[in-house]
Amino acid sequence: TVSDIPQGVCDKVIDVNWQMPAAILLDGVAVDDNTVCGEGNNEMLFVFANDLKSGAVAGETPDPNEEHCWGHGTWDGTSCFCEPGWSGDDCSMTQFCDKSGTCYDCDANVSDLVDAAECSKCDDSRSPRFMITAGYCVRCSDSDAWSATADECAKCDKSSTPRKMLDNGYCALADCGTNQFQNADGGCYSCNDSYPTSALEDECAKCDKSGTPRFMGSDGSCYSCSDSYGVSATAEECAKCDKSSTPRVLLENGYCALESCGANQFQDTNGYCWGCSYSYGVSATAEECAKCDKSGTPRYMNGSSCYKCPTSLSSSVLNTQEKCQSCRGTWDGKTQKCS
């Protein structure tokens, strides 16, 4: 057991997917893909099946079942009678073999083509797996949703990460991890993912209390508050971004837009942020267009659109004093040209 592990080190241990220990427990709970390390000090228990076998605490009498069978079988004096899902001299994890003949522990982070009978060897183990339609044997803890039969999906019912069948025939996690939400196809996404994805309203709402809240658009997609697009949404959904690092406002046209675009950017009338160097005209207010005045590529208003100032200020599109000055040109009253 190792105590006082900083969050960064704890995250690294989980990401490395270290195969040597028979198990790793964080604060008493087995580590899997959904494990989230705490911000404070973390305590990890590293369990080894083939070495350091003594389960005794100093000053206590060792339990022979712990010492020889690692708590997953009964020691008869010479060998272990293992519980279902465990095998070998020390009750190690049950294995399955892929079609190439390579064998893996049931909790291994692999998804190989296997025969159904091989995948079924893990049914009674502590890490059951299920067969997907494509012929792969997948861990119940896998964050993706997979096309599978209801019988295969049900193999995960007794695992630490149960799954559910969706109406679209996908077998998905019953619940995603902390600061995650599930899209319409059952895949688990981080709340700080930058891309929108279709999701149910209650799934998108799981990010409300995270450091990176999201909001539902009228198109049925769950958007990041930092998304540069203006998105049609309700006032209630748009308000979910009020406490984020990128607050948003609801425009009169019903679009939820960033309160302010980034440096050297301006916002069109639908709330999308454009770079000042964008080559074409964009519908925008004069106030937004003027935000490019101090950039290296100023713009000017022509009607209701905001245009990039041409490289050559004597261009015919700058044939008035107002347009010339807005593009930082010098107006020659005699020649009626901008330079």
Side-chain angles (χ1 to χ4, degrees):
T1 300
V2 184
S3 302
D4 300 333
I5 300 176
Q7 185 178 22
V9 177
C10 179
D11 289 338
K12 187 66 175 177
V13 172
I14 294 172
D15 290 343
V16 166
N17 190 30
W18 190 20
Q19 293 297 304
M20 186 180 292
I24 302 176
L25 281 71
L26 172 61
D27 297 329
V29 180
V31 167
D32 59 27
D33 287 346
N34 297 314
T35 298
V36 177
C37 297
E39 295 181 0
N41 295 322
N42 300 275
E43 181 177 276
M44 282 184 158
L45 170 65
F46 298 88
V47 182
F48 295 88
N50 299 315
D51 288 297
L52 308 174
K53 288 185 180 177
S54 176
V57 177
E60 295 182 359
T61 303
D63 180 343
N65 294 330
E66 281 290 337
E67 183 177 9
H68 298 287
C69 308
W70 206 250
H72 299 289
T74 303
W75 177 251
D76 65 5
T78 57
S79 61
C80 290
F81 179 74
C82 300
E83 297 172 355
W86 302 81
S87 62
D89 293 336
D90 54 6
C91 294
S92 59
M93 171 62 73
T94 299
Q95 291 192 326
F96 71 101
C97 302
D98 64 19
K99 289 189 175 181
S100 67
T102 304
C103 296
Y104 303 95
D105 285 347
C106 288
D107 63 354
N109 185 17
V110 293
S111 299
D112 282 9
L113 284 168
V114 303
D115 292 322
E118 283 294 322
C119 194
S120 293
K121 288 181 179 180
C122 298
D123 289 356
D124 295 321
S125 77
R126 63 174 178 148
S127 296
R129 304 175 78 92
F130 66 104
M131 284 287 290
I132 66 174
T133 306
Y136 290 85
C137 185
V138 179
R139 291 188 302 173
C140 289
S141 60
D142 194 284
S143 61
D144 289 321
W146 299 94
S147 174
T149 66
D151 287 342
E152 285 297 320
C153 195
K155 290 182 177 181
C156 299
D157 287 350
K158 296 181 180 179
S159 76
S160 59
T161 50
R163 303 179 78 88
K164 61 184 178 182
M165 281 298 295
L166 304 181
D167 292 339
N168 59 7
Y170 279 76
C171 178
L173 284 174
D175 191 23
C176 295
T178 306
N179 295 331
Q180 290 185 323
F181 70 101
Q182 201 168 68
N183 74 350
D185 289 330
C188 291
Y189 288 80
S190 170
C191 290
N192 63 8
D193 192 279
S194 59
Y195 297 101
T197 180
S198 59
L200 296 175
E201 208 168 312
D202 59 343
E203 283 294 327
C204 193
K206 289 180 178 178
C207 296
D208 288 355
K209 296 180 180 179
S210 76
T212 50
R214 302 177 74 89
F215 69 101
M216 281 292 291
S218 301
D219 60 357
S221 292
C222 182
Y223 287 86
S224 167
C225 287
S226 61
D227 197 296
S228 60
Y229 281 92
V231 178
S232 175
T234 65
E236 183 180 6
E237 286 296 319
C238 194
K240 289 182 177 180
C241 298
D242 287 351
K243 296 181 180 180
S244 76
S245 58
T246 50
R248 303 178 77 91
V249 293
L250 194 68
L251 305 180
E252 291 181 358
N253 58 7
Y255 278 76
C256 179
L258 284 173
E259 195 172 85
S260 180
C261 294
N264 298 326
Q265 289 185 324
F266 70 102
Q267 199 170 74
D268 69 15
T269 51
N270 286 329
Y272 180 69
C273 293
W274 299 86
C276 291
S277 60
Y278 184 67
S279 299
Y280 300 97
V282 176
S283 177
T285 64
E287 181 182 7
E288 283 295 323
C289 194
K291 290 181 178 179
C292 294
D293 288 352
K294 296 181 180 180
S295 74
T297 50
R299 303 179 73 87
Y300 68 99
M301 287 294 293
N302 188 350
S304 61
S305 294
C306 177
Y307 288 88
K308 176 185 175 183
C309 289
T311 304
S312 172
L313 291 179
S314 59
S315 169
S316 60
V317 298
L318 291 177
N319 57 1
T320 68
Q321 183 175 3
E322 181 183 356
K323 292 174 185 176
C324 175
Q325 290 174 340
S326 66
C327 285
R328 297 184 180 181
T330 300
W331 180 252
D332 188 323
K334 293 182 178 180
T335 63
Q336 298 289 294
K337 287 187 176 182
C338 187
S339 62

